[in-house]
């Protein structure tokens, strides 16, 4: 047993101490990981051309994750320089815009784009927090004046729900979506033949339409709910003020 352990080639593990040492010394993480990959490649006998080819292949296969990680700091910089304020200001110029109408329009666009496989067009970090929620809040402020925090939180929650529900039911229609392919593979592995991803996508359409109708109905009631909450809040404020004056 000990002889077998001593006979193993441990050089491929040399990248691990390089990563540990690099992070311990607080060097640039990208340089540390790249250096660890190069050293590991040389340790296993890869030539320079094969090493570069492997790096390029892995980069391309994970570019979607890299793109997502790059979007977050870009959104943070835009928010820091007034993206939310610009979105609110733009909605303030549209008199016919209401919270329910803005959220309903986003729901329709989000579900339709998800059905076409365009999942990255929306999202909480990219769209809901910096754009959708401020625009919906600005429409409510235009109609009712300053809002208390519970109502602002309620509007933000509805904006997040729009993105979640629309994407969840819309993406099932896209036949190349991972969950559809997983269902197709599961059915075939268990001997259920004759069902293709196209069939799964088609059967998802009635569910998506039902989700669209139900959620648009909920949003049509949202405006009345906001109006009622604000009336209750103002009544409470008046009672508190009268009590303070008495």
């Amino acid at each position: 047993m000990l002889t077998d352990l001593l006979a193993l080639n441990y050089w491929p593990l040399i990248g691990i101490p390089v990563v540990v040492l690099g992070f311990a010394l607080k060097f640039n993480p990208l340089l540390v990981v790249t250096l660890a990959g190069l050293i590991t490649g040389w340790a296993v006998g890869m030539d320079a051309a094969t090493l570069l080819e492997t790096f390029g292949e892995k980069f391309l296969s994970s570019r979607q994750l890299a793109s997502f990680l790059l979007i977050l700091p870009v959104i943070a910089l835009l928010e820091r320089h007034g993206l939310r304020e610009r979105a609110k200001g733009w909605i303030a110029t549209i008199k016919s815009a209401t919270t329910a109408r803005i959220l309903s329009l986003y729901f329709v666009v989000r579900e339709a784009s998800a059905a076409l496989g365009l999942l990255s067009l929306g999202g909480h970090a990219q769209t809901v927090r910096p754009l959708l929620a401020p625009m919906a809040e600005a429409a409510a402020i235009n109609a009712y004046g300053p809002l208390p925090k519970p109502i602002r939180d309620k509007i933000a929650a509805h904006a997040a729900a729009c993105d979640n529900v629309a994407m969840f039911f819309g993406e099932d229609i896209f036949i190349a979506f991972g969950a559809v392919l997983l269902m197709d593979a599961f059915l075939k592995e268990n001997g259920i033949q004759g069902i293709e991803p196209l069939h799964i996508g088609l059967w998802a359409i009635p569910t998506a339409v039902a989700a669209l109708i139900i959620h648009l109905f909920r949003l049509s009631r949202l405006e009345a709910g906001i109006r009622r909450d604000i009336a209750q809040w103002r009544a409470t404020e008046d009672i508190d003020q009268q009590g303070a004056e008495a």
Side-chain angles (χ1 to χ4, degrees), residues 16-17 20-21 27 46 70 77 82 86 88 133 146 170 182 196 241 243:
I16 297 175
V20 173
L21 184 63
F27 289 145
M46 297 175 69
L70 286 174
L77 282 174
R86 291 289 297 174
K88 286 183 177 179
L182 177 63
E196 301 296 333
Q241 187 174 1

Side-chain angles (χ1 to χ4, degrees), residues 109-123 167 170-171 174:
V109 173
R110 181 63 164 148
E111 191 172 50
S113 61
L116 297 174
L118 304 174
L119 301 178
S120 298
L121 287 183
M167 189 183 74
E171 64 188 1
F174 184 55

Side-chain angles (χ1 to χ4, degrees), residues 136-158:
E137 184 181 322
I141 292 173
N142 286 345
Y144 308 109
L147 303 175
K149 188 175 184 305
I151 296 180
R152 286 190 277 120
D153 291 342
K154 179 179 182 179
I155 294 173
H158 274 277

Side-chain angles (χ1 to χ4, degrees), residues 96-231:
S96 61
T98 65
T99 301
R101 288 174 183 168
I102 292 172
L103 296 181
S104 298
L105 177 62
Y106 179 80
F107 189 95
V108 173
V109 173
R110 181 63 164 148
E111 191 172 50
S113 61
L116 297 174
L118 304 174
L119 301 178
S120 298
L121 287 183
H124 292 262
Q126 307 97 308
T127 307
V128 174
R129 176 186 159 85
L131 291 174
L132 182 62
M135 291 165 68
E137 184 181 322
I141 292 173
N142 286 345
Y144 308 109
L147 303 175
K149 188 175 184 305
I151 296 180
R152 286 190 277 120
D153 291 342
K154 179 179 182 179
I155 294 173
H158 274 277
C162 275
D163 190 86
N164 287 343
V165 177
M167 189 183 74
F168 182 83
F169 288 99
E171 64 188 1
D172 288 340
I173 300 174
F174 184 55
I175 59 174
F177 176 53
V180 174
L181 298 178
L182 177 63
M183 285 186 279
D184 178 63
F186 177 81
L187 294 174
K188 286 184 169 57
E189 287 176 1
N190 288 276
I192 302 174
Q193 302 296 330
I195 298 178
E196 301 296 333
L198 178 61
H199 301 144
I200 299 174
L202 289 175
W203 277 103
I205 292 176
T207 310
V209 172
L212 174 69
I213 295 172
I214 293 171
H215 207 85
L216 290 184
F217 176 71
R218 291 187 67 236
L219 289 175
S220 69
R221 296 165 55 88
L222 174 63
E223 206 66 38
I226 293 174
R227 191 182 306 113
R228 184 175 58 251
D229 291 344
I230 290 179

Side-chain angles (χ1 to χ4, degrees), residues 26-42:
K26 298 182 179 179
F27 289 145
N28 186 295
L30 181 59
L31 293 178
V32 171
V33 174
T34 303
L35 181 61
L38 291 173
I39 292 176
T40 303
W42 287 327

